[in-house]
Amino acid sequence: MTESYPSTPTAPTRRTTLRAAGGGALLLGLGLTGCRSAVSESEAPAGQGKAGEAGKAGAEPRRGGTLSVAVNADFTPSLLFAQSAQSLQHRLIYNTLTRYDDRLKPQPELATSWEYAKDGRSITLALRTGVTFHDGRPFTADDVIFAVKNLQNPLRAAQLRATAAAVTGFEKRGDHELVLKLAHPVNNLFDLFEFMIITDRQSVEEAVAGKKLIGTGPFELTEWRPGSGLSLTRNETYWNPGRPYLDGVELRVVPQADALLSSLRTGQSQLSFSVPGKNLALVAASPELAISEYATGGGAVYLGVNTTVAPLNDKTVRQALAWGVDRERILKQVLGGYGLASATPWPKSSPAFTEAGRTHYTYNPGKARELLRSAGHTRLDLPLLHINLPGETAVAEAVQYDLRQIGVHVTLQPTDSAAAQKNLISQNMPALWTMSHGFAQVQPSTLAVSAYPFNEAKNTSKYRSAAYTKVVREAWTTPADGARANTLRQQITDTLLDEAFIIDLAIRGAVQVSAKKLHGVTLNKFSYLNLDDAYLAG
């Protein structure tokens, strides 16, 4: 297997443990991401908390049983090709071409090997043989061609459309070898390969209508009950021998925090990524539950700013907001102390991370008020949209409190998660909003060419800059290693900090709550749940 262009970051994996005592964490609704496997309390260094059992090998894998997963938002068919809070089930039904390990090194999935051309203008994929869709149709190169063209379709909500659009030609060499020809080199092609689900091309319109979901994945959809959840059963002809171990999976919608916690504590559900931070201390006290954290993921809590709403079109005012939010307090009180207060979107595992960037904005309400006065304001009244779930509401209320101290009075606008995501995509946000974003956990260029809040061509803040576009495009098409790549990444970070159209608050990986008898659960870098190796111990 040859990879001559581009390379991927090889920063050491950042693994941290969620401590049992006094803790809480927050899984926000839009785009939290994780590494390949979670780190549980049982893997903690000495002194970092009570040991659990979630990470231990335990007994031999056991076949059978149905896993119940508690989620706080229902599947949204129209967002099938976008990464969002409703993407958890993607890897259960569909496969991707490749998947990253913890060090961002791509591993085979439906593509078994690959070779870049020396000029970075094409890549040859060897595709897995013997793979069939749930309806029995063989998987071939035509399905990969369709998947790429499907993401190029402007009618699809898909963050990595720009990368898909860089593919301008296809050369089939039989059913299981394919050459993708590129308009120009890109350094995030494997981000696309992990993001892009391989769907049945013959039923895709039924898929986005929620009528039929056909993939090559380990489970088949048996029923979608809108508002209630999804029922899945084992794919008996799955290409991975002996997998999955589970007979089936139930994704149950439980939006109320108390009901979700009760579902886990009583054993009605065995897995969730939706427990609000304030409830995790109760989870830690439960003898049958374990807490694990996907620490190398790049999910981040942020304050979004609509730069077309006066006076937020003045970056001095936006910078005042950035100085006026107490990130450390949000981290401690809302996220339970788990995560990283940060003014930039990058996790420590990213090559774009710097300590200077992380601490560029600290809590300084005096400076915030001074900046507002210099811009001619002593009081502002603005709306702030947030998702109407407990954890998201807690973040919004914390931001509301902090901004009030500098003379910015915000009115909260609670919104359901599907509507909030659609507003994000369509650039239909009010003056301010709080959500979470991903895409900083993979190639840094992906954030600025693909994530809705940061996209240089069309972002939710409606921020436009020829200079920002120029540096992002160069960063995207430059090999990921070397001094030039580092310079470009720093220029992107400097622009984000100076322009403050997205105000990052804290880096947050996904937090998994599971029954201690559940083993083998992983997430990919886009928070697609992987249960190939999952089993329920007796």
Side-chain angles (χ1 to χ4, degrees):
M1 183 169 64
T2 303
E3 302 169 62
S4 45
Y5 185 103
S7 59
T8 53
T10 56
T13 299
R14 176 173 177 256
R15 288 177 168 267
T16 58
T17 300
L18 192 65
R19 300 181 294 276
L26 176 67
L27 176 62
L28 289 177
L30 302 175
L32 281 181
T33 50
C35 59
R36 290 276 301 132
S37 57
V39 182
S40 71
E41 294 167 13
S42 61
E43 298 173 270
Q48 280 204 338
K50 180 180 176 181
E53 300 177 4
K56 295 182 180 178
E60 288 297 314
R62 173 180 173 270
R63 290 187 67 85
T66 297
L67 175 66
S68 177
V69 184
V71 297
N72 61 10
D74 196 13
F75 167 59
T76 305
S78 62
L79 299 177
L80 180 63
F81 299 106
Q83 197 279 330
S84 73
Q86 291 78 42
S87 302
L88 193 66
Q89 74 287 324
H90 280 16
R91 180 50 179 70
L92 304 181
I93 300 170
Y94 305 103
N95 289 118
T96 57
L97 287 176
T98 59
R99 56 186 174 182
Y100 283 126
D101 63 15
D102 284 351
R103 297 175 64 86
L104 284 184
K105 182 175 178 61
Q107 304 297 318
E109 194 155 307
L110 289 184
T112 56
S113 64
W114 43 88
E115 184 173 359
Y116 260 109
K118 290 183 179 180
D119 63 0
R121 295 287 297 270
S122 68
I123 187 170
T124 302
L125 304 174
L127 303 177
R128 191 176 297 277
T129 60
V131 177
T132 59
F133 285 87
H134 297 153
D135 61 358
R137 185 176 65 79
F139 161 73
T140 70
D142 287 325
D143 297 299
V144 179
I145 294 171
F146 171 79
V148 174
K149 290 183 175 180
N150 181 59
L151 291 192
Q152 293 173 346
N153 183 349
L155 296 179
R156 303 290 187 229
Q159 287 98 332
L160 277 145
R161 179 175 296 114
T163 305
V167 179
T168 54
F170 306 90
E171 179 187 335
K172 289 197 301 179
R173 298 175 179 173
D175 284 342
H176 295 96
E177 186 171 337
L178 177 65
V179 180
L180 303 181
K181 299 179 180 180
L182 305 175
H184 51 78
V186 296
N187 60 26
N188 67 338
L189 199 57
F190 285 95
D191 295 3
L192 174 69
F193 291 169
E194 178 150 352
F195 171 87
M196 182 176 68
I197 56 176
I198 305 299
T199 57
D200 173 42
R201 64 184 187 273
Q202 298 177 353
S203 59
V204 67
E205 295 306 326
E206 292 174 279
V208 295
K211 296 178 180 178
K212 187 183 293 185
L213 303 178
I214 296 177
T216 62
F219 297 93
E220 301 180 36
L221 177 69
T222 55
E223 184 183 12
W224 174 42
R225 302 172 302 280
S228 297
L230 300 165
S231 295
L232 309 171
T233 189
R234 179 198 290 130
N235 175 10
E236 299 293 349
T237 60
Y238 190 41
W239 55 265
N240 190 358
R243 303 295 193 277
Y245 296 121
L246 295 167
D247 289 334
V249 182
E250 294 282 339
L251 286 93
R252 301 173 55 243
V253 179
V254 189
Q256 294 81 22
D258 290 345
L260 189 149
L261 184 61
S262 176
S263 176
L264 290 163
R265 297 179 76 182
T266 60
Q268 291 178 302
S269 301
Q270 296 87 40
L271 177 66
S272 184
F273 299 91
S274 304
V275 178
K278 68 178 182 180
N279 297 117
L280 283 173
L282 295 174
V283 171
S286 176
E288 299 302 321
L289 297 175
I291 304 171
S292 309
E293 181 184 5
Y294 291 78
T296 61
V301 183
Y302 76 93
L303 172 64
V305 185
N306 187 334
T307 63
T308 66
V309 175
L312 300 174
N313 54 337
D314 181 348
K315 76 175 181 181
T316 301
V317 175
R318 303 196 297 268
Q319 290 173 355
L321 302 183
W323 287 107
V325 179
D326 190 345
R327 292 167 177 78
E328 294 291 348
R329 185 178 69 86
I330 289 175
L331 180 65
K332 181 179 180 180
Q333 296 183 5
V334 181
L335 304 182
Y338 306 108
L340 185 69
S342 180
T344 62
W346 317 113
K348 283 190 173 180
S349 57
S350 172
F353 174 85
T354 65
E355 184 65 16
R358 183 186 78 82
T359 58
H360 181 85
Y361 290 111
T362 54
Y363 183 49
N364 192 332
K367 184 167 186 174
R369 286 189 289 267
E370 180 183 341
L371 286 171
L372 286 174
R373 284 194 298 270
S374 73
H377 309 286
T378 56
R379 174 177 174 132
L380 297 175
D381 292 273
L382 300 167
L384 186 149
L385 180 147
H386 67 92
I387 296 173
N388 60 353
L389 292 170
E392 286 82 344
T393 300
V395 171
E397 289 175 344
V399 171
Q400 180 187 44
Y401 174 85
D402 285 346
L403 293 185
R404 187 183 303 124
Q405 311 314 306
I406 65 169
V408 179
H409 297 254
V410 302
T411 302
L412 300 186
Q413 295 184 349
T415 307
D416 74 80
S417 58
Q421 178 78 344
K422 290 176 181 177
N423 286 346
L424 191 79
I425 294 169
S426 62
Q427 298 90 49
N428 192 31
M429 285 296 191
L432 301 172
W433 69 94
T434 54
M435 283 190 182
S436 65
H437 69 76
F439 295 91
Q441 78 286 1
V442 285
Q443 283 288 347
S445 61
T446 293
L447 183 82
V449 296
S450 298
Y452 295 124
F454 297 89
N455 190 313
E456 53 81 19
K458 189 178 182 182
N459 55 68
T460 312
S461 297
K462 301 180 182 178
Y463 170 76
R464 300 290 182 270
S465 163
Y468 181 53
T469 292
K470 183 177 184 296
V471 69
V472 166
R473 291 281 165 164
E474 186 177 351
W476 181 39
T477 56
T478 296
D481 293 331
R484 183 57 184 164
N486 290 334
T487 297
L488 293 167
R489 288 191 285 259
Q490 186 60 53
Q491 288 176 2
I492 290 173
T493 299
D494 291 344
T495 299
L496 296 177
L497 291 170
D498 182 57
E499 294 293 342
F501 60 92
I502 293 296
I503 300 170
D504 274 287
L505 305 176
I507 307 299
R508 198 71 191 96
V511 175
Q512 173 181 308
V513 175
S514 60
K516 289 184 178 178
K517 66 179 181 178
L518 175 63
H519 305 266
V521 176
T522 64
L523 295 175
N524 84 347
K525 281 291 182 181
F526 296 105
S527 288
Y528 302 167
L529 180 60
N530 186 333
L531 296 178
D532 280 27
D533 297 325
Y535 66 95
L536 293 162

